[in-house]
Amino acid sequence: MKLVSLNIQGGAQGEAFFKYVSQAAKTADVLCFQEVYKATRAITAHRGERMDIYNQLQRRLTGFNGLFLPVSHRVGEYLGLKQKVIMGMAIFTKRGLNTGKHFGKHVDGSLESRIDFERGKSANAAQVLELHLPEGNAWVINFHGVFWPGTKLDTPKRLKQSKILISLMKKLKGPKVLCGDFNLMPNTESIKMLERTGMVNLIKKYKIKNTRNTISWKRHNNRQYFADFTFTTPDVRVKNFKVPYNLASDHLPMVVEFSL
């Protein structure tokens, strides 16, 4: 199995993003995307984010089945749009791959939370999908963590989100892959809490140097190297893990190959 996780920045990088997704889809079984927008018609926000990016991905990823998890119905207000826009997450699975339960769990806010990225008003969630594999059942948890403050250090909300994640995963029986944009630095207590459960931090194990790129560093006028993580339970056999550098988004993709 090959799984790719990426905060897609709403598809703001245009052709560079679509080119990477098309390339990744040739060999991937599961695509986990964060910062995915859904709207009834095409509209572009002030930084290039495409508000109908989920619909565009569905049209392009013809060999995949898409599952969208709405996280907030009110992001359009923040972006100054009259049209209703839903901010969420998406998992695309290769056709022929058997899936089971699919649901979401908020770690902060709710569907009706007003979004304001600069003032810390957010809604963040985990998207959970059960996979029925020949070797047995497994779980994929696609996660987008609290995005404010931008320091990505511990806050009460971030500590709480780790507690919610740990509680959620205890209820999921079987092997698990947890991936996404945690909006955390590696040495935070919020990350250490997850490590203490016995989950393997692949960013640490594979000595990954960064999960961000030049787009992020120029936009935020700093050189922050981390935000994204992939964790696996010990019963997941990881064959390979890499974080290739590209400019498909302001985050880098994480690619894990595994078996049970």
Side-chain angles (χ1 to χ4, degrees):
M1 291 288 296
K2 181 184 281 190
L3 181 151
V4 177
S5 172
L6 177 63
N7 180 324
I8 68 171
Q9 196 194 2
Q13 299 310 314
E15 193 53 41
F17 166 69
F18 289 119
K19 183 178 179 179
Y20 173 73
V21 169
S22 296
Q23 179 186 2
K26 292 177 182 178
T27 58
D29 299 287
V30 181
L31 301 166
C32 293
F33 295 144
Q34 307 93 47
E35 217 164 294
V36 181
Y37 300 101
K38 188 176 183 181
T40 55
R41 64 182 179 87
I43 187 169
T44 303
H46 61 300
R47 291 196 180 105
E49 299 94 337
R50 297 161 188 245
M51 298 296 99
D52 65 331
I53 189 63
Y54 179 70
N55 296 336
Q56 292 190 41
L57 286 168
Q58 278 194 309
R59 289 194 295 270
R60 288 170 180 261
L61 293 170
T62 55
F64 287 75
N65 295 315
L67 292 166
F68 181 78
L69 177 74
V71 178
S72 172
H73 290 161
R74 300 185 63 186
V75 71
E77 298 172 33
Y78 165 75
L79 295 170
L81 305 175
K82 293 181 180 180
Q83 181 188 2
K84 181 179 179 180
V85 177
I86 302 172
M87 180 182 76
M89 311 161 71
I91 299 177
F92 287 85
T93 57
K94 195 171 184 177
R95 288 194 176 161
L97 182 61
N98 293 324
T99 60
K101 296 177 182 177
H102 172 250
F103 62 94
K105 174 69 176 178
H106 274 81
V107 299
D108 183 51
S110 70
L111 282 172
E112 300 307 320
S113 292
R114 184 174 180 274
I115 302 299
D116 192 324
F117 295 103
E118 279 76 31
R119 293 174 178 81
K121 295 180 180 179
S122 67
N124 299 86
Q127 181 182 19
V128 182
L129 179 63
E130 184 180 23
L131 302 179
H132 296 315
L133 306 178
E135 312 98 310
N137 292 355
W139 298 90
V140 170
I141 303 103
N142 180 27
F143 181 62
H144 191 192
V146 173
F147 40 72
W148 187 91
T151 56
K152 295 180 172 56
L153 300 177
D154 288 315
T155 65
K157 280 189 175 184
R158 285 173 171 150
L159 292 166
K160 181 181 177 182
Q161 82 179 10
S162 289
K163 291 178 181 176
I164 294 172
L165 274 178
I166 291 167
S167 176
L168 170 65
M169 288 188 294
K170 283 181 178 178
K171 298 174 183 177
L172 304 175
K173 304 303 179 184
K176 290 173 276 290
V177 177
L178 167 65
C179 60
D181 176 9
F182 287 65
N183 279 308
L184 286 168
M185 298 300 284
N187 292 324
T188 54
E189 176 63 16
S190 300
I191 289 295
K192 292 175 182 177
M193 287 169 64
L194 295 166
E195 293 172 341
R196 287 197 292 268
T197 67
M199 294 196 81
V200 182
N201 180 348
L202 299 186
I203 293 293
K204 178 186 284 187
K205 180 178 179 179
Y206 283 79
K207 299 179 181 179
I208 301 300
K209 301 298 183 185
N210 61 290
T211 69
R212 304 305 298 270
N213 60 21
T214 303
I215 298 170
S216 168
W217 300 331
K218 288 181 178 179
R219 175 180 169 186
H220 299 291
N221 196 31
N222 65 26
R223 207 165 179 83
Q224 206 171 55
Y225 289 96
F226 292 96
D228 311 85
F229 293 86
T230 298
F231 289 87
T232 59
T233 49
D235 47 4
V236 173
R237 296 168 56 192
V238 176
K239 297 179 178 180
N240 190 28
F241 179 71
K242 58 185 178 180
V243 180
Y245 187 91
N246 63 32
L247 300 178
S249 170
D250 60 351
H251 291 249
L252 299 181
M254 298 179 292
V255 184
V256 58
E257 295 181 62
F258 67 94
S259 63
L260 304 184

